[in-house]
Amino acid sequence: MQKKPILALEHISKNFPGVKALDDVSFSLRAGEVHALLGENGAGKSTLIKIMTGIYRQDIGRILLNGEEIHLHSSAHAQRYGIAAIYQEPMVFPDLNVAENIFIGHTDQGLVVNWGGMYKKAEEILSTLGVSLDVRSQTRGLTLAAQQMVEIAKAISQDVRVLIMDEPTASLSAHEVEQLFALVRVLRDKGVAILFISHRMEEIFQIADHVTIFRDGKRISSYAIEEVQQERLIQDMVGRELEAMFVRDFRAHGDQVLSVRHLSKEGVFDDITFDLHEGEILGFAGLVGARRTDVGLALFGIEPADGGEILLRGKPVHIQSPAHALELKIAYVTEDRRQLGLSLSMSVIANLSLPQLGKYLNLLGLIRRKHEIETAERYRQQLNIRTPSLWQEAGKLSGGNQQKVVLSKWLNTDPQVLILDEPTRGIDVGAKAEVHQIINDLAGKGIAIILISSDLPEVMGMSDRILVMREGRQMGIFKRAGTSREQIISAAMGMAEGEAGA
Amino acid sequence: MTTAAPTLGQPTRLSRSRGLASRFLVFATSQEFVLLLVVVLLFAVVGNTNPRYLAERNVLNIFNGNAYIAVAAVGMTMVIISRNIDISVGSLIGVLGTVSGSLAINGYPIWSSWLVPILLGGVVGAVIGFMVAYLRIPSIVVTLGLLSILKGGLITVTNGAWITDMPDTYFLAQMRTPEISLLGINIPAIPSPIVIMIVLTLLAALWMRYSPTGRAIYAVGGNAEAARLSGISEKRIIMTVFIINGLCVGIAAVLWATQLSIIQSTVPAGLELQVITSAVVGGVSIMGGVGTTIGAMLAAILLSAINSALVFINVSPYWFRAVVGVLILITVLTDLLRRRRTQA
């Protein structure tokens, strides 16, 4: 506590359309400390990092470096102040060698690159870090861990004073994590301030000196690590206010529609087993990297599974392509609307009928536009899609209305299984409530729904049962009734108390 | 069975007139409409300065001059909408034209000298399509390679020998419709390239708009991943697009060859650029997913009209290329602005 803060954020707020990403956040980092940042997805951690590295600008608030206010324009600008970030996926140039990567972006080398000097300096930096890497080897082919070392060396070469590490351990093996932590300690002892983000609780207790918890864009609490217990941190992450206004009429379920047995995909997910009934909503909860989406992709045939069984109404099926999944009446509303869900340059009408064009043909095999327009008009009214015209390009609609178009598009395929991947991400509160209402009504009509969501209140409020995943493994299936948010979070973070029956 | 989706919220019933108004706005700001206006304006302004510009003969020449370009642009439109490109069309026109002429002077039936190049074009298109769709080689690379092969191959095989003395019945492009008088209006004899251009453009436009395959071309070009998730086979669509493009290039080659009394067995310089220019100025987005064959045809006519106008208003024809360049930049810029607004 004695040390003076290097980097201080004061009363930072940042708004995105419809979302308050950061709300009056004050936060500081001291030299020679490892400060862990904890929070659920969407708590505001990423936004905070982006503001600290100059990628976003705060709406309100000040950033102080050694007590002086700075205005960051870009990440290159932030690097000049000694603020650097490394991510889960290292951003190296694969065709350049280690030394070139370390010194990329340095302009103080004169007209000609001094290769000998560069290699020597690169070796020096790596040796102070206790890393043995051939500075002349290409970075392509290095392990992720080694690439991260290169990135850290790059930060050192730029006299880093604040190093932000955003889930650096997510893709590393246990041994590599140990190596990384050794390096983090070296940096800390050199007086670098380190902001460390991880979803693995045990790592935070292993490496961090302080921990700060974020929730809903606010800083909730900060502790010195030796003064705090896991349970306390989880409570702070989850918050106390309980699921308030989720419309969900719980009814008895119908027949079993889908039965998934020991579904696996090498290196992605393993041994996923669940049943799904008509009118049931099965939530998929988990943190970033839990591989929930990959299970969805497998069920829709985009990235087919390579082990286990899928039974549809009791019959085994091998879903190999989206076209095949469509035939089986499985629909998948993707997480990424813009990249995967919609053709932005096409009209609302054309987007809606795309998976079902075969149903709109007349005897000559031509599209009956009138029929198409009728469908679009029906969904516009039923889902309350707000657009000046159905001929409007989908790209011009707001996020919430785009989401409704995507939903309509898949509802129009008359699915028996509907997979919804983050259906309310990035849409405003009003549209969110509407989408929840729609999901509820769909379940009421007997559609079996898989709801993948990082929004914990949403999963808990909407689902009958919740399947929790962590790093590709199924941690358990929890009944909605009698399960607390703490239990779900604990399971998602891989802590012992997450054991529960299916 | 149709899934009646849930009922909720207040149905936003927009009045029919507002729907119509908004459809009209879409039409009035479309590239096709703007091009049509520009063409009419150009005829009016230049015709006012020099009435000979509007003489029947000159107008027909304007339409006829770029008809084979417009025909090739029909295929190019589909290729670009699917987010691909074909820069080998100029060379292919040269090769197929030479094939056509050779057949005609070597005693093969005239119809075969018209048909074989078209079918051959389809085969070449299938080869390009295969390499793009199945071998996943970017189309610009495939067609760049093909361009060189065709260009070099043509010179090697023919030694640049000229083809002359085609039979009189060979010159398809010089044929005209009979002059007819309908309800007191005299319709002049229309050169066949104009008829072929208009019929092909309209057929293609209707097909693009009303057939599932046509719709799928837009979907693949607009967002290939979303199209795949909607159960559309991108590979099949790309094959189809390049085969149709090859057939169009074949027709264009026949129109080109049958208007010449001497086929020089070389590749006409810069043809592919004229074809691509027509598509782009016609409103076909180089980013894929947007455009129509009608726009491309109107652009081809506009380019021809500008070329002719320069002569009539006594401006050096060397300005033509600069004017075309400005047109390309203006269209691409408006397309980008339009897109930026869409993505915002």
Side-chain angles (χ1 to χ4, degrees):
Chain A
M1 286 290 142
Q2 309 83 339
K3 293 173 201 147
K4 262 178 54 180
I6 292 193
L7 187 72
L9 304 176
E10 291 184 346
H11 304 290
I12 300 277
S13 290
K14 175 81 187 171
N15 289 302
F16 293 110
V19 191
K20 202 156 201 173
L22 285 178
D23 186 5
D24 194 26
V25 168
S26 296
F27 177 76
S28 59
L29 286 172
R30 291 177 180 80
E33 77 163 6
V34 177
H35 199 131
L37 214 54
L38 258 179
E40 290 176 44
N41 306 328
K45 293 169 300 181
S46 303
T47 311
L48 187 77
I49 295 174
K50 284 181 176 155
I51 287 175
M52 291 170 74
T53 52
I55 296 171
Y56 290 162
R57 291 209 64 174
Q58 67 273 23
D59 297 336
I60 311 171
R62 300 200 302 163
I63 303 176
L64 303 177
L65 187 71
N66 287 326
E68 275 177 53
E69 183 167 4
I70 55 172
H71 300 277
L72 300 172
H73 311 301
S74 67
S75 56
H77 190 219
Q79 277 169 24
R80 256 175 273 146
Y81 282 115
I83 303 169
I86 67 166
Y87 300 92
Q88 181 181 341
E89 300 293 333
M91 287 188 252
V92 295
F93 296 88
D95 295 307
L96 301 184
N97 68 30
V98 169
E100 286 174 298
N101 264 291
I102 292 175
F103 289 103
I104 199 118
H106 286 231
T107 47
D108 53 342
Q109 293 178 346
L111 275 178
V112 186
V113 176
N114 173 0
W115 289 93
M118 186 171 88
Y119 286 131
K120 214 172 136 231
K121 266 203 268 175
E123 272 161 3
E124 275 169 26
I125 291 171
L126 289 175
S127 75
T128 60
L129 294 173
V131 176
S132 58
L133 268 180
D134 179 3
V135 294
R136 288 175 175 81
S137 64
Q138 252 194 19
T139 33
R140 186 191 299 281
L142 292 182
T143 61
L144 275 180
Q147 293 184 16
Q148 270 179 354
M149 304 291 177
V150 173
E151 282 222 282
I152 292 171
K154 178 167 122 191
I156 304 281
S157 77
Q158 296 166 329
D159 287 325
V160 67
R161 285 183 280 178
V162 176
L163 182 64
I164 298 162
M165 306 178 85
D166 190 1
E167 294 205 56
T169 58
S171 323
L172 302 187
S173 70
H175 176 65
E176 289 168 336
V177 170
E178 277 312 311
Q179 287 183 322
L180 182 73
F181 282 1
L183 208 150
V184 168
R185 291 190 187 104
V186 170
L187 291 177
R188 180 186 63 190
D189 297 341
K190 283 167 151 253
V192 176
I194 294 160
L195 184 66
F196 181 82
I197 293 165
S198 171
H199 284 305
R200 295 178 183 162
M201 199 59 101
E202 70 277 7
E203 287 178 356
I204 286 166
F205 279 94
Q206 214 180 327
I207 192 78
D209 303 307
H210 287 87
V211 56
T212 290
I213 292 102
F214 274 73
R215 187 177 73 231
D216 300 332
K218 295 194 186 76
R219 195 186 95 166
I220 301 303
S221 54
S222 292
Y223 304 96
I225 202 75
E226 58 275 5
E227 298 170 348
V228 70
Q229 303 287 313
Q230 277 191 12
E231 290 68 31
R232 175 86 222 167
L233 296 181
I234 288 178
Q235 272 177 22
D236 285 355
M237 276 172 73
V238 168
R240 228 140 313 256
E241 84 283 15
L242 276 175
E243 38 280 346
M245 55 301 141
F246 288 95
V247 218
R248 181 72 212 284
D249 312 316
F250 291 93
R251 299 189 184 86
H253 304 142
D255 298 340
Q256 179 177 306
V257 182
L258 185 69
S259 177
V260 171
R261 296 270 160 269
H262 312 294
L263 199 69
S264 306
K265 185 171 175 67
E266 180 92 48
V268 183
F269 57 82
D270 191 30
D271 201 13
I272 305 296
T273 296
F274 62 87
D275 293 327
L276 185 63
H277 303 83
E278 285 173 356
E280 184 182 24
I281 300 179
L282 177 65
F284 269 53
L287 301 163
V288 170
R291 302 293 193 174
R292 295 162 298 163
T293 292
D294 296 275
V295 175
L297 295 177
L299 290 175
F300 193 60
I302 299 170
E303 300 284 347
D306 52 23
E309 268 193 305
I310 302 172
L311 301 166
L312 197 63
R313 303 232 177 240
K315 287 193 204 98
V317 287
H318 298 277
I319 306 166
Q320 293 300 325
S321 70
H324 185 200
L326 271 172
E327 272 170 44
L328 297 170
K329 297 204 169 294
I330 299 173
Y332 177 53
V333 176
T334 49
E335 174 181 14
D336 188 335
R337 286 188 293 279
R338 287 178 158 254
Q339 276 196 14
L340 303 174
L342 290 172
S343 184
L344 297 180
S345 56
M346 300 206 323
S347 68
V348 173
I349 300 172
N351 267 294
L352 257 172
S353 55
L354 196 59
Q356 292 282 296
L357 273 181
K359 289 200 176 157
Y360 289 91
L361 304 185
N362 62 21
L363 290 172
L364 294 171
L366 298 177
I367 299 167
R368 284 184 296 180
R369 296 209 131 211
K370 218 179 134 196
H371 189 172
E372 243 187 329
I373 295 165
E374 280 164 13
T375 304
E377 186 60 51
R378 194 174 77 230
Y379 281 104
R380 168 157 85 180
Q381 294 193 13
Q382 287 171 345
L383 269 62
N384 197 15
I385 302 170
R386 276 172 291 265
T387 170
S389 147
L390 293 170
W391 283 266
Q392 180 85 269
E393 289 156 44
K396 288 189 182 158
L397 269 52
S398 72
N401 284 301
Q402 284 183 355
Q403 185 65 307
K404 290 184 199 168
V405 174
V406 179
L407 263 173
S408 309
K409 163 176 163 177
W410 293 110
L411 292 180
N412 196 35
T413 65
D414 187 21
Q416 53 177 335
V417 176
L418 179 63
I419 305 164
L420 300 168
D421 197 351
E422 304 287 359
T424 60
R425 173 173 291 176
I427 66 181
D428 64 57
V429 183
K432 231 175 188 171
E434 281 183 286
V435 171
H436 290 146
Q437 174 74 57
I438 293 167
I439 297 172
N440 177 54
D441 292 353
L442 293 173
K445 287 185 193 311
I447 298 177
I449 295 174
I450 291 176
L451 173 65
I452 303 172
S453 173
S454 295
D455 183 340
L456 195 56
E458 175 176 287
V459 191
M460 297 201 64
M462 297 300 297
S463 309
D464 297 284
R465 291 182 302 151
I466 297 134
L467 190 157
V468 180
M469 284 183 72
R470 175 176 185 266
E471 295 175 6
R473 300 185 163 274
Q474 180 173 338
M475 306 304 287
I477 297 183
F478 298 82
K479 288 212 171 66
R480 166 196 160 99
T483 301
S484 66
R485 296 170 79 173
E486 283 81 359
Q487 278 173 290
I488 302 279
I489 282 273
S490 301
M493 296 185 86
M495 282 158 33
E497 62 185 276
E499 302 301 323
Chain B
M1 190 182 110
T2 50
T3 307
T7 325
L8 78 154
Q10 297 298 311
T12 39
R13 184 180 290 280
L14 293 175
S15 71
R16 198 152 201 77
S17 63
R18 196 172 149 202
L20 280 178
S22 131
R23 283 182 80 175
F24 176 74
L25 200 72
V26 169
F27 171 71
T29 55
S30 70
Q31 189 82 8
E32 293 79 7
F33 186 72
V34 172
L35 275 172
L36 193 64
L37 277 185
V38 172
V39 171
V40 170
L41 214 68
L42 186 73
F43 275 111
V45 171
V46 180
N48 201 28
T49 341
N50 191 338
R52 277 183 301 146
Y53 185 69
L54 292 180
E56 183 183 304
R57 206 178 115 86
N58 193 53
V59 171
L60 283 181
N61 275 345
I62 286 173
F63 279 72
N64 200 21
N66 263 2
Y68 73 105
I69 300 280
V71 166
V74 168
M76 185 63 75
T77 298
M78 292 182 199
V79 169
I80 298 181
I81 288 175
S82 77
R83 213 172 175 161
N84 282 291
I85 191 85
D86 182 351
I87 54 173
S88 68
V89 292
S91 307
L92 192 54
I93 287 178
V95 169
L96 295 177
T98 306
V99 168
S100 170
S102 305
L103 288 171
I105 59 166
N106 284 309
Y108 291 93
I110 291 302
W111 60 263
S112 75
S113 67
W114 295 341
L115 193 62
V116 169
I118 297 175
L119 296 179
L120 217 52
V123 172
V124 173
V127 172
I128 301 176
F130 178 80
M131 289 199 266
V132 175
Y134 292 90
L135 305 184
R136 301 230 150 257
I137 312 174
S139 51
I140 189 159
V141 178
V142 174
T143 55
L144 182 64
L146 190 66
L147 179 154
S148 277
I149 294 169
L150 292 175
K151 223 173 197 170
L154 186 62
I155 292 291
T156 315
V157 172
T158 64
N159 283 317
W162 290 9
I163 300 170
T164 52
D165 299 324
M166 279 79 77
D168 288 344
T169 47
Y170 173 68
F171 299 99
L172 179 69
Q174 295 176 15
M175 294 173 190
R176 285 169 177 251
T177 58
E179 243 175 276
I180 42 171
S181 184
L182 206 71
L183 303 167
I185 305 165
N186 281 323
I187 300 173
I190 313 277
S192 64
I194 299 180
V195 177
I196 292 173
M197 163 179 84
I198 291 175
V199 169
L200 206 65
T201 301
L202 290 181
L203 273 181
L206 287 173
W207 183 77
M208 294 286 284
R209 193 174 163 89
Y210 289 105
S211 79
T213 312
R215 180 71 62 79
I217 296 173
Y218 285 102
V220 166
N223 188 341
E225 200 56 24
R228 194 167 73 90
L229 298 192
S230 300
I232 287 167
S233 159
E234 187 192 356
K235 295 188 169 80
R236 196 180 62 83
I237 295 300
I238 289 182
M239 275 305 276
T240 310
V241 160
F242 275 103
I243 291 173
I244 295 177
N245 179 52
L247 294 171
C248 290
V249 172
I251 299 172
V254 172
L255 291 178
W256 173 72
T258 58
Q259 68 184 355
L260 307 167
S261 46
I262 299 166
I263 302 169
Q264 297 189 353
S265 303
T266 52
V267 170
L271 252 189
E272 58 279 333
L273 294 184
Q274 292 188 50
V275 176
I276 294 169
T277 301
S278 300
V280 170
V281 173
V284 179
S285 167
I286 212 81
M287 316 288 287
V290 176
T292 67
T293 54
I294 295 175
M297 179 183 75
L298 289 171
I301 293 169
L302 175 65
L303 296 180
S304 194
I306 292 175
N307 202 1
S308 168
L310 293 180
V311 178
F312 280 90
I313 56 174
N314 277 325
V315 174
S316 158
Y318 292 119
W319 280 100
F320 177 64
R321 293 198 166 233
V323 175
V324 171
V326 171
L327 265 182
I328 294 178
L329 291 180
I330 290 176
T331 3
V332 171
L333 200 67
T334 43
D335 176 44
L336 281 182
L337 291 176
R338 213 179 300 171
R339 274 185 186 252
R340 205 160 295 160
R341 230 176 29 201
T342 308
Q343 322 274 294

